[in-house]
């Protein structure tokens, strides 16, 4: 099986690349990634020498580069590449529109011309907007994106659906809730809290900290994507979630406890503009149709994550200092095994 992954040097992408290489023998995997600030080749240092793995640096918004990679012919595409941080989208939406909308469009254009068996589009629960207390949205809920990031992801989804409808591109859309686990860039809540607390720095809580997120351990998401690759019918949309929304304050307190740090590090700061209060998804469809269920309980996942960041302080320090960019030069640019198109 020949698979093209976009955005494989990011958090979920790198976990997925590792997961697929481990779980499949007969596999050739191409990772097409622009290496923005969020793309870190150090996250895949352990598989960089695997002959089944190929890294190609490129921008999904560059149609020529996208066409060139598609010319290689793939059985499946798994599309993660995106600008992903809500706060950054509030500061400046333009890179979000370019990558998330135009970049997705470029991939769909290529997928039309170089057909594959599956185009898995990695979407997000944020396309639904905030969910009222006591409710979990199913796949039938109306899309109501409320941040520039969410709007760009919802726009991408509409294009994906349009290309399925109009040109028969065999797409599957996965809408997952907040992921956590190893290799997440320390701008997102959990790794940021761990990174700051380790250094006895304040951990910033937006607003009252009672916003809820339906956290899922990243490995469980990777398993859902693999099931979708193998079994999902083209045209399907699936929610992926643990189904157990939790308030931010509880998460932060648990992290501080794990690290043996005082709650006095918690610092309430101004809320995120337009902050979605609550995300919660009903994932019974993927459980019923594809036989998926989360395997890692939240507490266990959080414990594993905190331990991982403590054991991989160098990864964290390199990420925070930008040192990982030098890794790219050392390991790819000047090496003969660098794969270039
Ligand atoms: P991330 O920010 O950690 O990584 C994004 C990756 O995409 C990076 O490697 C980056 O270099 C690459 N990229 C960005 N722009 C690119 C471009 N123009 N061309 C090629 N590569 C580019 O993201 P993540 O958190 O791993 O999220 C991956 C996907 O999953 C995204 O589509 C996101 O919307 C979705 N998602 C994320 C979560 C979450 O909790 N993190 C939850 C649900 C869905
Ligand atoms: O729900 C899926 C989405 O989850 C993905 O599509 C996004 O790519 C991903 O970034 C994430 O979005 P969130 O905005 O929910 O994640 P973030 O980690 O930024 O914030 C989680 C919650 O924590 C949210 O309520 C805001 C709050 N928060 C966040 C940060 C960074 C704080 O209170 N303090 C902080 O410093």
């Amino acid at each position: 099986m020949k698979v093209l992954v976009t955005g494989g040097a990011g958090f979920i992408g790198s976990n997925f690349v590792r997961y697929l290489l481990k779980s499949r023998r007969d596999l050739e995997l191409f990772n097409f990634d622009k290496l923005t600030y969020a793309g870190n080749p150090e996250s895949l240092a352990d598989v960089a020498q695997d002959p089944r793995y190929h890294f190609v640096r490129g921008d999904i918004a560059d149609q020529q580069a996208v066409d060139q990679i598609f010319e290689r012919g793939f059985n499946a595409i798994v599309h993660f590449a995106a600008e992903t941080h809500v706060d950054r989208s509030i500061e400046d939406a333009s890179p979000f529109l370019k990558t998330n909308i135009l970049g997705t469009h470029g991939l769909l254009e290529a997928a039309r011309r170089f057909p594959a068996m599956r185009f898995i589009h990695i979407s997000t629960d944020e396309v639904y907007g905030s969910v009222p207390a006591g409710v979990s949205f199913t796949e039938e809920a109306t899309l109501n994106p409320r941040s520039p990031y969410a709007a760009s992801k919802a726009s991408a989804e509409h294009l994906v659906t349009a290309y399925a409808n109009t040109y028969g591109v065999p797409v599957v859309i996965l809408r997952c809730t907040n992921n956590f686990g190893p290799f997440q860039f320390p701008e997102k809540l959990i790794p940021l809290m761990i990174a700051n607390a380790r250094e006895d720095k304040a951990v910033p809580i937006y607003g009252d900290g009672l916003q809820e997120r339906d956290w899922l351990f990243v490995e469980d998401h990777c398993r859902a994507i693999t099931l979708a690759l193998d079994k999902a019918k083209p045209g399907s949309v699936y929610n992926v979630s643990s189904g157990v929304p939790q308030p931010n304050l509880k998460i932060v307190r648990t992290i501080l406890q794990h690290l043996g740090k005082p709650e006095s590090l918690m610092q309430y700061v101004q809320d995120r503009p337009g902050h979605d209060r609550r995300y919660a998804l009903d994932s019974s469809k993927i459980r019923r149709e594809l036989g998926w269920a989360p395997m890692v309980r939240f507490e266990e996942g959080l414990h594993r994550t905190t331990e991982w960041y403590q054991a991989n302080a160098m990864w964290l320090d390199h990420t925070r200092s930008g040192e990982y960019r030098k890794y790219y030069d050392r390991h790819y640019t000047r090496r003969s095994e660098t794969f270039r198109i």
Side-chain angles (χ1 to χ4, degrees):
M1 192 178 195
K2 203 165 162 188
V3 177
L4 173 65
V5 169
T6 71
F11 161 48
I12 307 175
S14 61
N15 277 282
F16 178 73
V17 165
R18 183 174 299 99
Y19 182 89
L20 206 63
L21 286 168
K22 255 194 204 151
S23 55
R24 299 283 150 97
R25 292 228 61 75
D26 186 17
L27 175 76
E28 200 176 1
L29 192 153
F30 286 71
N31 174 10
F32 185 81
D33 195 300
K34 182 179 176 182
L35 296 184
T36 64
Y37 77 94
N40 182 351
E42 271 188 36
S43 304
L44 286 169
D46 56 331
V47 302
Q49 305 306 322
D50 187 322
R52 300 170 301 155
Y53 171 73
H54 312 279
F55 178 75
V56 182
R57 190 173 193 177
D59 184 342
I60 58 166
D62 173 351
Q63 192 69 56
Q64 211 185 341
V66 167
D67 288 350
Q68 262 182 300
I69 185 87
F70 269 76
E71 272 166 20
R72 300 189 152 264
F74 292 99
N75 303 105
I77 324 298
V78 186
H79 173 33
F80 295 97
E83 288 293 338
T84 62
H85 194 36
V86 174
D87 293 316
R88 287 180 190 257
S89 81
I90 294 168
E91 213 176 80
D92 179 9
S94 30
F96 288 75
L97 308 192
K98 188 165 180 216
T99 288
N100 302 0
I101 306 177
L102 297 179
T104 300
H105 173 249
L107 291 172
L108 290 166
E109 269 298 309
R112 238 181 99 185
R113 282 178 277 120
F114 306 97
M117 269 151 32
R118 290 277 186 294
F119 185 112
I120 311 284
H121 178 70
I122 306 298
S123 190
T124 166
D125 62 348
E126 299 210 13
V127 296
Y128 296 115
S130 207
V131 184
V135 176
S136 296
F137 281 155
T138 68
E139 290 80 358
E140 307 307 318
T142 309
L143 302 196
N144 181 25
R146 289 158 42 91
S147 72
Y149 161 71
S152 71
K153 292 294 286 187
S155 308
E157 265 207 37
H158 285 314
L159 281 169
V160 167
T161 309
Y163 270 66
N165 211 33
T166 313
Y167 305 110
V169 177
V171 302
V172 174
I173 295 175
L174 297 182
R175 296 179 183 143
C176 191
T177 54
N178 286 64
N179 282 217
F180 69 106
F183 300 107
Q184 186 167 29
F185 193 86
E187 64 184 355
K188 307 283 163 62
L189 180 76
I190 291 179
L192 180 69
M193 300 297 125
I194 298 172
N196 280 12
R198 265 182 71 233
E199 296 173 9
D200 296 308
K201 285 189 182 150
V203 297
I205 317 279
Y206 294 169
D208 62 7
L210 295 177
Q211 305 83 1
E212 291 183 14
R213 297 292 183 264
D214 190 344
W215 294 96
L216 186 74
F217 193 60
V218 65
E219 233 171 69
D220 280 325
H221 188 190
C222 293
R223 208 157 25 77
I225 299 166
T226 309
L227 282 169
L229 262 180
D230 292 341
K231 303 213 281 192
K233 281 204 202 94
S236 318
V237 180
Y238 290 107
N239 288 344
V240 186
S241 73
S242 67
V244 191
Q246 322 216 38
N248 295 338
L249 271 184
K250 182 184 157 199
I251 314 268
V252 176
R253 288 204 168 103
T254 313
I255 292 171
L256 293 174
Q257 260 169 26
H258 280 174
L259 295 172
K261 299 289 180 179
E263 288 199 3
S264 55
L265 287 182
M266 285 167 36
Q267 185 180 50
Y268 289 87
V269 298
Q270 199 179 24
D271 207 353
R272 172 186 280 172
H275 198 167
D276 282 341
R277 190 73 182 162
R278 182 170 182 271
Y279 295 143
L281 294 189
D282 175 336
S283 54
S284 47
K285 184 179 174 194
I286 192 169
R287 295 175 193 237
R288 194 175 57 245
E289 292 187 5
L290 304 187
W292 177 84
M295 289 172 71
V296 181
R297 280 182 34 253
F298 177 75
E299 292 70 20
E300 183 201 332
L302 192 57
H303 186 70
R304 276 167 67 176
T305 305
T306 333
E307 296 281 299
W308 185 87
Y309 278 97
Q310 283 181 295
N312 291 275
M314 191 147 66
W315 182 92
L316 193 54
D317 293 341
H318 283 183
T319 307
R320 291 200 119 189
S321 67
E323 178 69 22
Y324 66 97
R325 295 183 187 284
K326 292 186 191 152
Y327 175 93
Y328 181 80
D329 286 340
R330 284 200 311 276
H331 284 260
Y332 293 99
T333 313
R334 291 190 227 117
R335 289 173 82 103
S336 54
E337 59 268 40
T338 300
F339 176 86
R340 289 206 158 266
I341 53 169

